[in-house]
Every structure is written in C-alpha cells, then in structure tokens.
Amino acid sequence: GMYKTVLTTMLLIGACGIAFGASAEKKVTIDASKTGEPISKYIYGQFIEHLGRCIQGGLWSEMLEDRKFFYPVTGEAPAWEPHYPGKDSWQGEGHTFDVLVRSPWMILGPKMAVRMDREHPYAGEHTPVISIEESGRPTGIQHERLGLVQGRSYVGRIVLAADKGIESVSVSLMWGDGASDQQTVLAKNVGETFSTYALNFTATTSTDNGRLRILGTGKGHYAIGAVSLMPADNISGWRADTVALLKELNSPVYRWPGGNFVSGYNWKDGVGDPDKRPPRKNPAWLGIESNDVGMHEYMSLMREIDAEPFISVNTGLGGIDAAAEQVQYANGTVDTPMGKLRAEHGDTRPFGVKFWAIGNEMYGDWQIGHIPLEEYVKKHNGVVDAMRVVDPGIVPVAVGSVGKWSETMLANCADRTGLVSEHAYWQDKPDLIEHILQPVNQLRHTAEMHRQYRKDIPALQGKDIRIAMDEWNYWYGPAENGEIGPRYFLQDALGIAAGLHEYFRNSDIFFMANYAQTVNVIGCIKTTATSAAFDTTGLVLKMYRQHYGDQPLALTGDFAPLDVAAARDSKTGSLTIGVVNPTEESERVAVDLSNVSVTGKGMSWTVSGASRRASNRPGQTPEVVIESASFATCPAPLEVKPLSVTLFRLETR
C-alpha cells in the first residue's frame, strides 16, 4: 500500500521522478530525455526457406507429396527414410525425421500397369502413363497419409490425358473403408491432350490416414500430368491457420527463398503454370522441391500479411545475368522483357522489391558455388552493378561474417552495399543464465566489431552501412518437426527476448533482423497436418512487435541477472519497459523515472511457464502463454514472475 500511495501522490503533484519503493531488490533508472536511434521495425523480420517443413508441409497448403511425380511410380511400397541429424550441428538426444525417398504413389492393379513416359512429360522428367488391360479392371494409383478433418472441405485438380478407349477417370478422397467413407469426382470424355479437371470433397470423418485414389475404367492408356489437393479455405495456396498466426506476428519483412537453398536455385523454375514447373531435388537440403511456391506465390503472401519482400539472389551457381533478369522480372515495367513475362504470368504491376540479399553465407565451404573471398568480392560488385542498371533504387544486402570476411567485403564493396548481413545461432547451455546470455553477448560483439570497422576502414567514411542480422536463433535439440525442426522451450523465449533488448540497445547499428525461420524449421510457429500454434519464441516476438516502443531510452542500474530495456512509443507517447527474469525466483524492480510524467494507468503482458523446459505443441494445451493485465495504478515496485518476460506499458501525460 505504501508504494501505491507514494506513487499516486507523486503523480498527483505532477512530479517528473517516480520512486517505486526503496526496499525492492533491483534498481533501474530511466531518463526519458536521453533517447537512442529509433528502433527499426525491421528488427522484427522473419525468414522462410525451401527447407524441411517450413514451406511444404508448413506454410503451404498442398497435402500431396510428389504431386508432379519426381519419383517414378514403380509399384514398390512408398518409403520415407528416417534421418537423424548429425552431431556436428545438433546437440542432445534427437528424434529421427522422415524424408520421402521413393514415390508415395501406390499402384492399384498390376504392377506393370504404370510406365513413366520420358518422351512427352507434362512436368519435369517423366509422367506416369497407366494401362488398362483387356479385362477392363479399374487400374490406377493411390496416395495415403493425408490428414483430414471432419466437416472440412478440400479442393484440388488433376491434369489428365487419355486414349479414346478410356471411359472415365475417377478421383476419390477416402477417410475410411466403407462406401460412405469417400467422395468421388468423375472425369469423363478425357481427351488425348492434357486438360485440367477440378476436384471438390468434404470429409465426414477425421483421420490421419486419408487416401486419394485415382482409377481409370475402360481399355487403353491414360496419363496423369499433375494432381493437387488443398483445404478449401487456403488463401492463394497458403494455409489459413498459419497465415492467421503470421498476421498476429505482424512481421514487416520476410527474407526468401534461402538460405543455403538459394545458392543452387534457378528462380525461373518457380514462375509460370505451377503444374508445369519442374520438380527438382532440393539442391541444399533433403527431399524434393516442387517449385509450387515461386516469386508470385511469395508476393501474394506478402500482400496478404502486409509485409515487405526481401529476396535473395543466387550468387553460388547463379551469375550476373540471372540476378539482373530477376530484378527486372520483379520490378520492371511491362515494356521490359522480364516485366512482360511477369505480366503474362498474372501480375501486371511490378512487385517493387527493395531489399535484395546478394547471396547467402558465401564465406562457407558448405555453400554451393563457394569461391575464395577475393573472387567473391568481384562477383558481388558485378552482380550489384548489373542489378542497379535495372533498378537503381534497390538496397543490396551484402554477405558478411565478422572477421576477415566482413572487413574485406566492407573495404571493397562499400559503394555496392546498402546493408551487411550477419548470422548467429546458439545451442543449449546447462546453465540457464548462460543459455539466455548467448544472444546478448554475440549481438553486442557483432555491433562493437562493426563500429570498429567504421573507424578503421577508409571506404566506410561518410557511410552508414548497418547490419541485417538476417538469420538469428537458437538451434539445437530433437528434430520433432521434420528436418531442422526442434521444439523450443521457455528458456529459448527468454533468450530471444534478451536478444531483442540487445538490438534495442544497439539501434544505431542494427537495421534489420530476420528470425530464422518462421515455421517448423527452427521455427517460431509449429504445425501438424491439421493444426498450427506459436512456439514459445513466437509468443515473445509477437508480444514485443505489438506492444514495445520504438524510441529506446537511456537505462542504468544494478539489476543483473535481469535484463531490462525501456522505450517510448512515438505514436502514443506511452512508456514501455521490458524485463527478462532468467531466475527461478520472483523479482521486484524499483524504477526511478526522470523527465517523463506517467498517469499510473497501463498494462502488462507476461510470457512464463512452470519450468525452463516448458513448451508448446500444436493441437495440445500450451504450457507457455501470454498473460495480460491492466492496472489503474502502476505497481510499485514492478513485480516479475520467475522464468518470465514481462512488458509493462505506462500511459504518460
């Protein structure tokens, strides 16, 4: 009661200083007249890559694996080979995860009824052609392991061609073995040239092993060019449940399509008719790449969630011409060759992509197309020059890595660099405080190194090349969500919050950060076939993006091991204070404010859980949530739970 009385009295007399209780354990002094560089909204960026279940099986709605028949349909049983992540990049006990290594399509009928036509493939290298014998016995193929939900509708399409002897081709979605446990769409009078037929179904039962069955009747041959099946509520092909979470996350920018993937990616594979785009072996990761998601699909997602694009170009196997053409395809008017092609593919308006990553981690010998640093400097400059001829307004993001690589790039490429990229990943630490301090320490070191570069490198004089930390995250633990798909814990949420605080403290040098990655693959959102949920780290990213201010304030005090940061909100004027408590005890924080007057009204939001290993899984009751509370009189001192991140927002006069 005493603290509230003192606080209220001081507020009533309009004092500029507030003392929240002298007996509190931790003391923080905030001077609202001392502000840092504004916090860039791009600190809340995200990253999606064609890897594991980030896009296919995560963000994207397609339910069928290998819908364009990368693997030959041989009649052998479908095979998902178990993989275990190697100890060189992972720590701790791990789960295996399944990767498709043989066709998921089973043959219904004689094994020899299916041959792969390489002479006239519809997409990729070959297309299945199915023969129906003299007996006229229905023959076809079937795909299993589909997650279906009772009452949910599904839409799709099938691309077919057939001899005149084929009477019909039926496509059935099945959720059981009974006659009433399926719905069928019948394609009649299928012609000898490929045509597309629409599919519509509504499941009456939920199952994890739904089946899509394709059967032809009559006598002769029919070919299946491509098949697709998605929930009917998909948003331009994107999963509605995942998109809803992206909107809550409200990230302002998404880096795409990689990552290591981009160094072997031909962007032209991802444009044009999706059913005709060639499926490929993923150049950097396990599994196959359908190329269903290309630049147009990515841009449709950016428009849907009101985020800006940040596209990586291939400086591994890719060359100067391909990068320049890609910029023209994205940003050129319809009277340019590539702009005309984009319009033919459905988007007459230029995409207006401003941020362009010039390659990915080209310093690493694991990178496809890796070349020595001296050669890469020349390649970077050549690529940027060619891209700027097409669009002088682009912001090139150069590949950086603290040390000789970043120093050399900045010394030789400063005139062709808008931002410089850095990456940072952390593993598990037995000591909780050490675990949480990893992002703080590395981000601080990176900022300090770049400040030193500004002093030491002549080419940087008069320039303000800031950092895009366009991959940062914890990376350890069992692959529960597919390739590089660990579950996160409360301890990781606390570390990500502390990392955000370090970005805020270094707002003069960090312009962008892209949490890697958004879904499943070290993701802040996790999905199953039928549900999606925020992982612990996603809750923190969402909470700060929604509620934290953008004008960092000077903050001093003796509050370790807590991590405390403060900011004003330039729109509302409110004061925001973030507190990370990495201990298993509740803590009280006495805050001394100067040069600001608060009303006492406000709100708090808290992310916490029962233990450092508290976690969330989609489809299950979450162990970690955001709890909010409002107050008419600010608590004094501030109370923070054990193992928690708390944001306080105080209204100001």
Side-chain angles (χ1 to χ4, degrees):
M2 180 184 73
Y3 302 130
K4 289 184 179 178
T5 303
V6 171
L7 173 62
T8 305
T9 302
M10 297 181 76
L11 291 174
L12 287 171
I13 64 175
C16 62
I18 301 173
F20 291 161
S23 62
E25 293 179 22
K26 310 297 180 187
K27 292 181 172 59
V28 173
T29 299
I30 300 170
D31 186 346
S33 69
K34 296 179 180 177
T35 61
E37 286 278 319
I39 297 166
S40 167
K41 67 179 180 180
Y42 297 109
I43 290 300
Y44 300 101
Q46 289 281 327
F47 169 43
I48 54 177
E49 179 173 6
H50 294 258
L51 158 58
R53 290 177 47 216
C54 180
I55 294 176
Q56 188 73 33
L59 282 158
W60 191 242
S61 287
E62 182 59 58
M63 298 165 61
L64 303 177
E65 294 195 71
D66 200 14
R67 73 179 195 88
K68 289 179 280 191
F69 308 103
F70 174 86
Y71 293 112
V73 182
T74 61
E76 293 182 87
W80 285 265
E81 185 175 298
H83 282 260
Y84 177 75
K87 288 291 185 181
D88 59 334
S89 59
W90 289 67
Q91 297 291 322
E93 295 301 315
H95 297 294
T96 57
F97 56 93
D98 291 344
V99 175
L100 185 69
V101 294
R102 198 158 63 222
S103 176
W105 296 94
M106 296 182 293
I107 296 176
L108 304 174
K111 185 176 179 180
M112 302 304 292
V114 179
R115 67 176 177 86
M116 302 304 294
D117 179 9
R118 289 180 168 272
E119 293 182 12
H120 307 97
Y122 186 79
E125 296 183 359
H126 50 218
T127 293
V129 176
I130 300 164
S131 301
I132 304 180
E133 302 172 336
E134 298 280 343
S135 64
R137 173 186 169 189
T139 305
I141 58 176
Q142 178 171 289
H143 190 304
E144 298 187 344
R145 294 180 32 145
L146 303 176
L148 303 175
V149 177
Q150 180 178 2
R152 182 171 289 181
S153 295
Y154 300 88
V155 295
R157 60 189 182 276
I158 184 168
V159 181
L160 295 168
D163 295 343
K164 292 180 180 178
I166 298 298
E167 296 169 2
S168 67
V169 178
S170 64
V171 184
S172 303
L173 186 63
M174 311 172 71
W175 43 89
D177 296 323
S180 62
D181 296 330
Q182 58 183 278
Q183 289 179 358
T184 299
V185 174
L186 205 60
K188 293 185 176 180
N189 303 314
V190 177
E192 294 184 358
T193 57
F194 280 105
S195 296
T196 302
Y197 299 83
L199 306 175
N200 288 277
F201 309 101
T202 300
T204 61
T205 304
S206 297
T207 179
D208 290 330
N209 193 30
R211 288 163 283 164
L212 190 76
R213 177 175 291 179
I214 303 166
L215 285 175
T217 59
K219 192 176 85 172
H221 305 82
Y222 69 99
I224 306 173
V227 200
S228 177
L229 185 71
M230 295 182 174
D233 65 354
N234 76 82
I235 301 169
S236 301
W238 300 97
R239 274 179 61 157
D241 56 356
T242 313
V243 167
L245 295 181
L246 297 190
K247 289 180 177 179
E248 288 185 43
L249 198 60
N250 194 25
S251 174
V253 64
Y254 281 75
R255 178 172 175 251
W256 168 89
N260 293 358
F261 172 82
V262 77
S263 295
Y265 175 59
N266 181 353
W267 68 268
K268 291 181 179 178
D269 283 348
V271 300
D273 180 355
D275 291 339
K276 298 281 283 183
R277 297 176 196 170
R280 307 274 193 204
K281 168 72 183 71
N282 189 305
W285 305 104
L286 298 171
I288 57 176
E289 171 52 48
S290 67
N291 283 309
D292 286 346
V293 172
M295 211 185 301
H296 291 260
E297 289 75 21
Y298 165 69
M299 288 304 306
S300 76
L301 178 63
M302 295 301 97
R303 288 191 289 259
E304 177 66 28
I305 64 176
D306 193 25
E308 290 182 50
F310 175 15
I311 295 181
S312 302
V313 299
N314 179 351
T315 60
L317 298 184
I320 290 172
D321 292 344
E325 283 190 328
Q326 190 172 4
V327 174
Q328 189 180 84
Y329 189 91
N331 295 353
T333 56
V334 294
D335 56 0
T336 63
M338 288 293 108
K340 180 173 182 286
L341 183 61
R342 181 196 66 244
E344 291 171 0
H345 292 155
D347 274 289
T348 55
R349 287 180 304 138
F351 294 142
V353 180
K354 180 170 66 173
F355 298 110
W356 292 86
I358 313 303
N360 174 79
E361 293 182 0
M362 294 310 300
Y363 48 82
D365 58 8
W366 60 85
Q367 202 66 215
I368 301 168
H370 169 73
I371 56 178
L373 175 54
E374 293 71 23
E375 293 180 42
Y376 186 72
V377 163
K378 298 173 188 174
K379 187 167 189 177
H380 170 95
N381 288 341
V383 166
V384 173
D385 283 345
M387 294 169 72
R388 280 179 168 168
V389 168
V390 177
D391 183 352
I394 64 169
V395 177
V397 182
V399 171
S401 179
V402 159
K404 183 182 178 184
W405 185 279
S406 281
E407 292 172 30
T408 306
M409 290 291 290
L410 290 169
N412 293 278
C413 308
D415 288 337
R416 298 170 178 87
T417 296
L419 297 166
V420 60
S421 164
E422 295 280 355
H423 290 175
Y425 289 106
W426 308 283
Q427 297 190 339
D428 195 13
K429 292 275 189 183
D431 182 86
L432 179 58
I433 292 175
E434 282 186 23
H435 181 81
I436 292 167
L437 280 175
Q438 290 180 96
V440 174
N441 292 336
Q442 187 167 351
L443 295 177
R444 182 178 300 159
H445 172 70
T446 301
E448 289 170 352
M449 291 294 287
H450 277 264
R451 287 196 190 94
Q452 193 63 42
Y453 297 154
R454 292 180 172 207
K455 296 176 184 176
D456 296 346
I457 297 173
L460 295 183
Q461 299 308 307
K463 291 187 171 62
D464 184 16
I465 298 176
R466 301 193 185 192
I467 299 169
M469 184 64 72
D470 55 20
E471 291 185 32
W472 72 289
N473 203 353
Y474 287 95
W475 177 347
Y476 68 94
E480 294 184 12
N481 299 276
E483 188 177 8
I484 315 183
R487 173 168 40 132
Y488 285 120
F489 304 102
L490 177 57
Q491 65 176 19
D492 307 309
L494 302 188
I496 292 299
L500 289 174
H501 286 188
E502 197 61 29
Y503 288 128
F504 305 155
R505 286 189 281 264
N506 294 278
S507 57
D508 62 314
I509 201 84
F510 287 112
F511 177 80
M512 186 187 291
N514 301 80
Y515 179 94
Q517 295 179 14
T518 311
V519 178
N520 288 329
V521 177
I522 47 176
C524 66
I525 293 168
K526 297 300 198 306
T527 70
T528 65
T530 55
S531 61
F534 278 115
D535 212 329
T536 61
T537 55
L539 296 176
V540 166
L541 292 164
K542 167 187 164 181
M543 184 171 76
Y544 274 81
R545 172 66 170 142
Q546 287 183 343
H547 304 300
Y548 196 77
D550 58 348
Q551 295 177 319
L553 301 179
L555 184 149
T556 57
D558 180 18
F559 47 80
L562 305 184
D563 191 314
V564 186
R568 291 287 295 269
D569 187 312
S570 62
K571 293 181 180 176
T572 66
S574 60
L575 174 69
T576 55
I577 303 171
V579 183
V580 178
N581 181 7
T583 76
E584 297 187 0
E585 306 293 333
S586 60
E587 294 281 0
R588 297 190 301 170
V589 183
V591 180
D592 181 66
L593 297 178
S594 60
N595 296 306
V596 64
S597 178
V598 297
T599 67
K601 295 180 180 179
M603 286 196 70
S604 67
W605 297 267
T606 302
V607 172
S608 64
S611 74
R612 64 184 288 185
R613 295 283 177 178
S615 63
N616 296 344
R617 283 172 164 157
Q620 299 182 21
T621 302
E623 297 176 359
V624 180
V625 297
I626 300 175
E627 295 177 322
S628 63
S630 60
F631 45 82
T633 304
C634 181
L638 301 180
E639 300 274 354
V640 292
K641 288 184 173 184
L643 301 173
S644 68
V645 182
T646 305
L647 283 188
F648 298 91
R649 187 177 69 198
L650 309 178
E651 292 182 9
T652 59
R653 286 193 174 87

